Amino acid sequence: MRILLVLIFISVFNYDLNAQKGRFKQSLNDNWTFHLGEFSDSSDGERINLPHSWNIKDPFDEEKGYYRGESWYVRSLEVKSNESKKWFLHFEGVNQVAEVYVNGDLAGKHIGGYTAFNVDISDLLKEGENELKVKVDNSYDEHIVPLKGDFNFYGGIYRDVWLISTSKTHFNFSEYGDFGVFISTPKVSEELAEIKVKSTIISNKDSKSKISYKLLSPDKELIFNEKHELTLKAGKQTFNHALPEIENPQLWHPDSPNLYQLEISILDQQDQILDHQIIPIGLRWFKFDPNEGFFINGEHLKLMGTNRHQDYPSKGNALSDQRHINDVKMIKAMGSNFFRTAHYPQDPAVLRASDQLGLLVSMEIPLDHDITDSEVFYENSKHMMVEMIRQYYNHPSIIIWAYMNEMLLGRQSDRDKEIITKIVDFAQVLEDLTREEDSTRYTMIPNHGALQLYHEAGLTEIPMLVGWNLYFGWYEEQLGAGSFLDDFHELVPDKPMLITEFGAGADPRIHSFNPLRFDFSIEWQIQYHQQNLIDIMERSFVAGAAVWNLADFGSENRNDAVPKINSKGLIGFDRKPKNSYFLYQSWLKNEPYLKMASCDWVRREAFEATQPIQFFTNGNSIQLTVNNQKVNVQSFENHLAEWKVNLQNGINTLEAEAKFQDTIITQKHIIDFSLIDSTWISSNTLLVNCGANFFFNDPIENVTWQPEKAFQNKLFGYKGGEIFQPRDRGIGTDRQIFLTQNDPLYQTARVGGEYKFDLTEGQYVVVLHFAEIDKNYNKEKSRIFDILFNDLVVLEDFDLGQIEKFTAYSKKIITQVEDRGLAISFSAKKGEPILNAIEIRKL
Ligand code: GCB
Ligand code: CA
């Protein structure tokens, strides 16, 4: 009876094997139980599917920090055991330390949250039901990168897990998480391509077997199917084979991402498949030149694109393949040919999509800002570097390996000599290691914009390419990277370079006609990118540039207009394009293009009827028609054209027409406009953001807050006082405001002064919004003032120190206005009065 059962198992399994051609591979994403914190048998846990992260909400709430600690994933695993099989688990990504237990025994451990790993569980599995437990820990660990970073280190088994079974003779499941097959294309030209395959095979005995290579063309035509005899010895062996040369290859290029497909199998003497893999191959050659930039297949190509982080609202970093692919598609649809996987290796789906869609990729390990001077740290980082290179080696999209980011940020050459020397020494170690692992790609170190510091330290010398993260017009006051780029090229003329980051924050709720650094307006982001694009495109020695960032992303330490979010995305955290995304399309896309800038700003209230209207295009000229009246044709510069248009109250129809060689594109936009004057104020709600230059559209209440203005007759405005400006950059505070989502209203304020409103007679409700946003104030050193309406005290001894700092507070006051309008003033008792926003509504 027992024998019979085993036979049945074998036959069932053989059936699977044939279907999967010698390798059984299925995801193990379902049916897990998750335990936050330490494991206890008595707790039920939560039923979940992978991919999964436990930091879905806590990096975004108002409390400091998010859970970084241990958690457990438990699952049962039923196998039809078979003596002649090997069983592996392949984890694509677990952040950041994983211990894998099978039936209570430790089967494997992995360090590092962004690379894959293999666990051989063959010896621990028993027939029937097994218990699989994975302990995952995302605690800070001084020996594991990243030590720092402007992004969230979401914990969890956040990428796919696979169960793989093979024969005892199989391709190596290495300790670097790869699958033992490496493909290189040492010579590629239009006439000929050479393909070399290096494979490592594990065998349990001395035997004769074969390896077969079947190559299909991009059109799925068989090019060859050839076999090599192998003499296997028990243990591990590596084979190098040159495949038949390919004549007139169909080259891989971002515009024509032709992929050949190699099927590689280990066969036994009877030609039965023992193990099997299918690997796409792209045939291309490329180089970087210090003066001319990048060339692929002999053709010049400016590398243009973005960086990309891997998180998404209410998913953390646990994204489906489709979500990853959608991002890659958005990079492509922008007109890009290039991207940088931000600060770490990304999901295999990202690289597969890049190969297929035609995007060139720079990838790096998360060695961001800091090192720990310890052997363990160095070993972990080196291991991670090798993992990255071996796991992604076969992707034709990858052209650059990088390994450090902005290592000298906040450092000074004399003061920090010791640590700088250690960083530079370690850079050399990683550089040598990378070149030894992969001589077919370029190496790179991205630096922040301190040219001399990096140069003198030697960090511009070590890598083959230098990357610069340049925020001219954001962290640096000067708009445009031009002069920095020229300085670099003069200082290091023989080194090819890329801009690895450049970007400006923007919140789609914020629009401005007078955009400023740090106002987070959509318009400043456009202005920032426009100038930087001009500077980049003008310089042929700039091989390429990657915007920081494709999408907004979570960063728990950040308190921009939307706290906990880095808003430098060209698209939102929700992936909705911001207008800058369209600016890029006009610059980068080859097909005819036209789009209204600020096309999301279609309901406007303003004190001025004359509004600047901009269009992005790659056409020759644009004709604009406003409410059926043609306005003058604009020529445009650098893809941008602007008109000053008089809008009428109510619906305005804008029609733009751009002419191209053999086509015309038209775009129609409706702007619903309200001109604010004193009659308007008297019948609507007037909302004013004190201390701010921008319009703030609150999508929840569906209202627009006006930028403040100086008083004019028959209107409203402030008299005297000053904008709250705590630092030498932009406006407002860079702190989160609690108890509100409208941070930009409270982050900005006017200090002192008074306000006047030319209201018609009647009863009004006035809401005054406050927040203490000066960190130097406290309960003792507080602001105390009276608030007066038309010289009558309505609130006496108002003490802002009694309210928590950086917390929204509002006071509603009902008042009767006579024909002299409303004047709001303050009488200071202590400190200076402050007002963050005002709301006035007629009752
Ligand atoms: C950088 C960093 C990146 C940040 C970015 C920023 O230079 O490399 O991780 O997110 O600046 O937005 O400040
Ligand atoms: Ca304000």
Side-chain angles (χ1 to χ4, degrees):
M1 188 59 195
R2 167 95 200 160
I3 289 166
L4 190 69
L5 258 180
V6 171
L7 277 179
I8 290 169
F9 284 142
I10 290 170
S11 71
V12 167
F13 199 68
N14 273 344
Y15 171 78
D16 279 344
L17 262 186
N18 284 332
Q20 309 265 343
K21 285 198 177 168
R23 181 177 278 218
F24 165 93
K25 182 173 179 185
Q26 270 180 15
S27 69
L28 212 62
N29 289 345
D30 55 326
N31 262 317
W32 291 83
T33 305
F34 170 70
H35 300 257
L36 187 73
E38 278 175 33
F39 182 78
S40 96
D41 278 316
S42 58
S43 84
D44 287 343
E46 181 192 345
R47 270 170 46 99
I48 57 111
N49 287 323
L50 305 178
H52 175 266
S53 169
W54 60 74
N55 298 120
I56 301 298
K57 291 200 187 106
D58 57 354
F60 302 98
D61 61 19
E62 289 197 345
E63 241 168 84
K64 190 96 201 97
Y66 53 99
Y67 180 66
R68 295 188 68 182
E70 88 176 57
S71 289
W72 289 79
Y73 293 82
V74 184
R75 185 192 196 280
S76 80
L77 175 60
E78 203 161 330
V79 294
K80 292 156 182 149
S81 161
N82 187 319
E83 280 289 293
S84 64
K85 298 291 154 212
K86 291 290 273 181
W87 294 89
F88 300 92
L89 295 175
H90 178 77
F91 291 82
E92 289 183 353
V94 182
N95 201 21
Q96 74 173 349
V97 178
E99 284 171 18
V100 180
Y101 296 87
V102 176
N103 300 321
D105 289 327
L106 184 65
K109 179 172 172 170
H110 183 257
I111 287 169
Y114 304 91
T115 40
F117 58 99
N118 295 314
V119 184
D120 183 346
I121 55 171
S122 314
D123 295 341
L124 297 174
L125 277 189
K126 55 181 201 246
E127 187 166 319
E129 199 170 313
N130 296 271
E131 186 200 45
L132 202 62
K133 267 189 188 170
V134 187
K135 178 182 164 185
V136 183
D137 197 323
N138 69 334
S139 304
Y140 172 82
D141 184 326
E142 61 170 346
H143 301 300
I144 306 174
V145 294
L147 302 176
K148 281 187 189 162
D150 180 23
F151 55 105
N152 295 333
F153 311 134
Y154 307 96
I157 306 183
Y158 73 97
R159 291 182 190 160
D160 291 330
V161 176
W162 298 91
L163 177 67
I164 307 173
S165 165
T166 67
S167 321
K168 287 207 163 158
T169 298
H170 57 85
F171 292 112
N172 188 27
F173 288 76
S174 94
E175 68 269 36
Y176 295 102
D178 61 79
F179 298 121
V181 179
F182 302 95
I183 294 170
S184 56
T185 54
K187 268 196 201 139
V188 181
S189 70
E190 300 214 1
E191 292 79 37
L192 212 72
E194 286 178 19
I195 303 177
K196 282 195 172 152
V197 183
K198 175 180 160 192
S199 52
T200 302
I201 295 176
I202 308 283
S203 180
N204 62 326
K205 56 176 195 283
D206 294 356
S207 68
K208 290 254 176 233
S209 63
K210 295 173 205 168
I211 190 160
S212 81
Y213 300 104
K214 180 175 163 189
L215 189 74
L216 301 181
S217 75
D219 321 311
K220 297 285 171 287
E221 269 166 29
L222 181 68
I223 300 185
F224 56 74
N225 188 1
E226 60 153 37
K227 290 175 193 158
H228 295 246
E229 298 285 335
L230 300 180
T231 308
L232 294 178
K233 300 204 183 62
K236 191 196 282 186
Q237 271 168 283
T238 295
F239 299 93
N240 285 292
H241 289 134
L243 303 188
E245 289 177 345
I246 300 171
E247 281 175 27
N248 304 319
Q250 297 186 50
L251 299 175
W252 188 97
H253 183 281
D255 294 340
S256 53
N258 291 313
L259 290 173
Y260 288 75
Q261 183 175 301
L262 183 70
E263 292 188 36
I264 168 169
S265 313
I266 311 171
L267 310 173
D268 66 11
Q269 280 304 82
Q270 287 73 46
D271 281 356
Q272 288 291 311
I273 297 175
L274 298 173
D275 197 7
H276 177 81
Q277 292 187 52
I278 296 179
I279 301 170
I281 298 178
L283 301 171
R284 83 283 185 266
W285 75 98
F286 61 90
K287 69 161 192 191
F288 284 89
D289 178 273
N291 294 308
E292 300 299 320
F294 179 74
F295 292 81
I296 182 164
N297 303 338
E299 217 179 89
H300 180 259
L301 187 72
K302 190 116 182 169
L303 296 173
M304 293 299 297
T306 68
N307 284 265
R308 190 238 172 197
H309 264 306
Q310 62 176 10
D311 60 346
Y312 193 76
S314 41
K315 296 275 176 208
N317 52 358
L319 274 59
S320 66
D321 285 353
Q322 191 57 53
R323 267 271 43 106
H324 288 296
I325 294 165
N326 290 352
D327 276 3
V328 181
K329 284 186 173 162
M330 285 208 74
I331 298 174
K332 185 77 185 176
M334 198 174 102
S336 313
N337 49 34
F338 173 68
F339 73 106
R340 170 174 175 238
T341 61
H343 301 314
Y344 44 80
Q346 297 198 357
D347 195 285
V350 172
L351 280 303
R352 264 195 309 269
S354 306
D355 293 346
Q356 288 166 355
L357 297 171
L359 284 164
L360 295 153
V361 178
S362 170
M363 195 186 269
E364 67 198 58
I365 57 166
L367 214 178
D368 197 3
H369 291 119
D370 222 346
I371 61 167
T372 300
D373 181 29
S374 77
E375 235 5 78
V376 188
F377 176 90
Y378 295 135
E379 284 312 311
N380 283 343
S381 305
K382 278 156 59 185
H383 190 86
M384 211 178 277
M385 193 73 199
V386 177
E387 284 182 324
M388 172 175 81
I389 295 171
R390 297 201 185 174
Q391 290 172 21
Y392 298 89
Y393 188 87
N394 294 332
H395 289 283
S397 50
I398 295 182
I399 52 170
I400 300 168
W401 300 124
Y403 50 77
M404 281 182 171
N405 183 60
E406 302 192 340
M407 298 305 288
L408 305 187
L409 190 71
R411 303 194 204 278
Q412 290 169 17
S413 49
D414 40 352
R415 190 193 63 193
D416 305 312
K417 222 182 207 115
E418 204 179 321
I419 183 78
I420 292 177
T421 305
K422 297 223 153 99
I423 288 167
V424 174
D425 289 350
F426 191 47
Q428 190 65 58
V429 169
L430 290 173
E431 178 71 22
D432 296 345
L433 177 70
T434 306
R435 292 199 197 190
E436 190 184 304
E437 278 291 317
D438 186 356
S439 60
T440 73
R441 268 113 178 171
Y442 280 74
T443 59
M444 181 172 75
I445 301 181
N447 306 320
H448 84 279
L451 179 54
Q452 290 296 340
L453 184 62
Y454 286 91
H455 186 60
E456 278 158 24
L459 284 175
T460 55
E461 182 58 35
I462 294 172
M464 298 159 85
L465 305 171
V466 178
W468 290 106
N469 300 344
L470 303 177
Y471 290 89
F472 288 96
W474 192 251
Y475 300 121
E476 311 293 331
E477 194 171 351
Q478 184 201 326
L479 179 60
S483 60
F484 176 95
L485 295 169
D486 295 337
D487 290 348
F488 167 78
H489 193 50
E490 204 184 306
L491 188 66
V492 202
D494 54 353
K495 187 67 76 173
M497 67 89 67
L498 289 144
I499 298 179
T500 30
E501 292 179 20
F502 66 114
D507 176 347
R509 296 176 301 176
I510 296 177
H511 282 286
S512 178
F513 293 136
N514 306 298
L516 287 173
R517 215 156 59 101
F518 285 101
D519 66 5
F520 294 93
S521 70
I522 287 295
E523 285 68 24
W524 182 258
Q525 193 184 40
I526 289 172
Q527 204 163 308
Y528 172 92
H529 282 290
Q530 178 69 2
Q531 187 55 53
N532 279 286
L533 272 164
I534 292 168
D535 290 359
I536 290 162
M537 294 302 189
E538 272 174 3
R539 291 168 173 80
S540 60
F541 66 86
V542 178
V547 174
W548 189 262
N549 196 291
L550 169 69
D552 291 356
F553 58 91
S555 180
E556 208 264 340
N557 277 321
R558 211 166 245 286
N559 291 306
D560 295 347
V562 181
K564 318 295 179 190
I565 299 284
N566 185 316
S567 62
K568 295 190 190 71
L570 298 178
I571 64 180
F573 200 19
D574 61 0
R575 270 54 176 177
K576 191 170 176 291
K578 301 180 195 171
N579 294 315
S580 299
Y581 182 84
F582 303 127
L583 174 70
Y584 273 87
Q585 288 191 319
S586 77
W587 275 83
L588 302 179
K589 278 180 99 67
N590 289 325
E591 59 262 38
Y593 188 83
L594 174 68
K595 189 89 181 175
M596 185 168 90
S598 302
C599 55
D600 59 336
W601 192 16
V602 291
R603 238 204 61 204
R604 300 188 187 185
E605 291 163 4
F607 293 99
E608 299 85 14
T610 307
Q611 307 253 314
I613 301 284
Q614 293 179 322
F615 276 85
F616 306 135
T617 181
N618 53 9
N620 299 319
S621 67
I622 308 181
Q623 170 70 64
L624 182 67
T625 308
V626 179
N627 299 326
N628 291 322
Q629 296 224 311
K630 285 197 169 156
V631 286
N632 61 324
V633 176
Q634 285 291 347
S635 63
F636 50 88
E637 250 179 287
N638 297 308
H639 304 269
L640 196 80
E642 180 178 310
W643 291 261
K644 295 251 190 294
V645 168
N646 271 325
L647 296 182
Q648 65 192 25
N649 255 320
I651 297 297
N652 291 265
T653 307
L654 278 67
E655 286 170 288
E657 187 182 282
K659 284 209 176 78
F660 299 85
Q661 214 150 42
D662 17 60
T663 180
I664 290 175
I665 302 190
T666 54
Q667 279 237 325
K668 188 170 164 178
H669 290 278
I670 304 283
I671 297 180
D672 182 359
F673 181 72
S674 306
L675 183 69
I676 301 180
D677 54 24
S678 49
T679 42
W680 186 94
I681 298 174
S682 299
S683 53
N684 288 281
T685 304
L686 175 67
L687 303 153
V688 181
N689 186 1
C690 307
N693 64 315
F694 53 79
F695 294 87
F696 178 77
N697 293 319
D698 173 354
I700 296 170
E701 316 239 314
N702 195 22
V703 291
T704 298
W705 292 78
Q706 298 297 316
E708 66 167 18
K709 59 202 297 331
F711 181 74
Q712 270 172 291
N713 240 352
K714 298 262 176 278
L715 270 176
F716 99 101
Y718 61 80
K719 284 180 168 173
E722 274 170 19
I723 285 183
F724 174 79
Q725 198 164 14
R727 289 159 313 148
D728 59 350
R729 65 187 209 189
I731 51 167
T733 173
D734 59 351
R735 293 278 296 265
Q736 172 168 26
I737 309 299
F738 298 108
L739 305 184
T740 181
Q741 286 177 34
N742 289 346
D743 297 70
L745 296 183
Y746 297 94
Q747 287 167 329
T748 51
R750 176 157 287 271
V751 180
E754 58 182 301
Y755 299 84
K756 257 187 83 77
F757 298 84
D758 265 333
L759 303 176
T760 54
E761 186 187 333
Q763 215 184 20
Y764 290 84
V765 56
V766 178
V767 191
L768 302 176
H769 295 272
F770 301 97
E772 183 51 81
I773 49 179
D774 187 332
K775 62 179 191 315
N776 300 318
Y777 277 85
N778 51 40
K779 270 203 178 70
E780 288 70 52
K781 182 186 188 277
S782 73
R783 309 174 193 266
I784 302 177
F785 48 93
D786 294 343
I787 299 169
L788 297 87
F789 283 7
N790 291 338
D791 299 329
L792 283 175
V793 175
V794 289
L795 204 61
E796 201 174 351
D797 289 342
F798 177 63
D799 184 354
L800 209 49
Q802 296 314 305
I803 299 156
E804 278 297 312
K805 242 186 273 186
F806 299 105
T807 303
Y809 175 87
S810 45
K811 198 85 195 162
K812 230 182 241 186
I813 300 165
I814 292 175
T815 188
Q816 181 66 40
V817 170
E818 311 299 338
D819 57 358
R820 56 189 272 241
L822 174 66
I824 301 176
S825 58
F826 308 95
S827 154
K829 302 281 178 66
K830 208 176 145 195
E832 284 178 299
I834 190 170
L835 184 58
N836 304 60
I838 313 173
E839 209 177 316
I840 295 185
R841 191 177 312 117
K842 193 165 192 183
L843 282 176

